[in-house]
Amino acid sequence: MNEQSSKAFSDFLAFMSRNGLNTTAQRKVIAEAFFELPGHHSLEEFYQHVFKLDSGIGQTTVYRTLKLLCDAGLATEIHFKDGITRYEVARPNSHHDHIVCLSCGKIVEIYDQRIESLQREIGEQYGFVLSGHLHNLYGICDVCRKQDKVD
Ligand SMILES: [Zn+2]
Ligand SMILES: [Zn+2]
């Protein structure tokens, strides 16, 4: 595991013991696989990945472990228009938003300080101190637009 992944992994172990939860060998495999896999994955996609590592691990165990990782603040659930829940690794200071292609499903991570501060300012205007936001942009990516022209 790289340094970030092993830090996240030890945070997970600490979370589990703090909450009196049993960190089984399977949960360890799942957590390690999750931290090592970049991107945004549905339960089904991630399960397929775990299955290749250990075919004895069931989808329910994968799902429960993902939930625990979310509870521990180490995974983030993301919801786009298609209604499929996806998971990504939550890293400190790694906040970003997403642009999603409605044709091929490509997901691009974006971060712009102007958007971040504008949202905070708007929150303040309404008397809120923001604790987070979900900001997804939708459109058609350049590859899909080019394909459309050929068809
Ligand atoms: Zn596309
Ligand atoms: Zn992301």
Side-chain angles (χ1 to χ4, degrees), residues 39-40 76 78 80 87-89 94-98 107-110:
H40 314 80
T76 309
I78 37 183
F80 298 131
Y87 300 87
E88 71 175 318
V89 178
S94 74
H95 169 74
H96 58 265
D97 298 311
H98 298 101
I107 300 165
V108 180
E109 302 197 331
I110 53 165

Side-chain angles (χ1 to χ4, degrees), residues 100-106 139-145 147:
V100 183
C101 176
L102 292 171
S103 175
C104 69
K106 177 163 80 187
I140 306 294
C141 74
D142 53 352
V143 176
C144 290
R145 285 202 323 278
Q147 271 170 4

Side-chain angles (χ1 to χ4, degrees), residues 20 33 41 57 63 72 76 83 93 111 133 136 143:
H41 305 281
I57 299 178
Y63 176 73
T76 309
N93 307 316
Y111 180 84
H133 63 261
N136 301 323
V143 176

Side-chain angles (χ1 to χ4, degrees), residues 42-104:
S42 67
L43 171 64
E44 182 59 35
E45 285 165 356
F46 181 58
Y47 168 67
Q48 293 302 332
H49 175 70
V50 171
F51 186 82
K52 280 182 221 141
L53 303 172
D54 181 345
S55 59
I57 299 178
Q59 189 164 335
T60 311
T61 310
V62 173
Y63 176 73
R64 293 212 180 109
T65 308
L66 282 173
K67 286 283 163 201
L68 288 167
L69 288 166
C70 288
D71 291 345
L74 298 166
T76 309
E77 247 185 38
I78 37 183
H79 301 272
F80 298 131
K81 268 185 178 173
D82 60 11
I84 298 168
T85 302
R86 290 181 178 79
Y87 300 87
E88 71 175 318
V89 178
R91 306 221 184 266
N93 307 316
S94 74
H95 169 74
H96 58 265
D97 298 311
H98 298 101
I99 306 184
V100 183
C101 176
L102 292 171
S103 175
C104 69

Side-chain angles (χ1 to χ4, degrees), residues 114-132:
R114 291 168 302 177
I115 296 176
E116 298 302 317
S117 39
L118 185 58
Q119 287 177 135
R120 264 197 304 278
E121 282 167 33
I122 292 170
E124 279 167 26
Q125 276 172 28
Y126 289 91
F128 283 68
V129 173
L130 300 186
S131 55

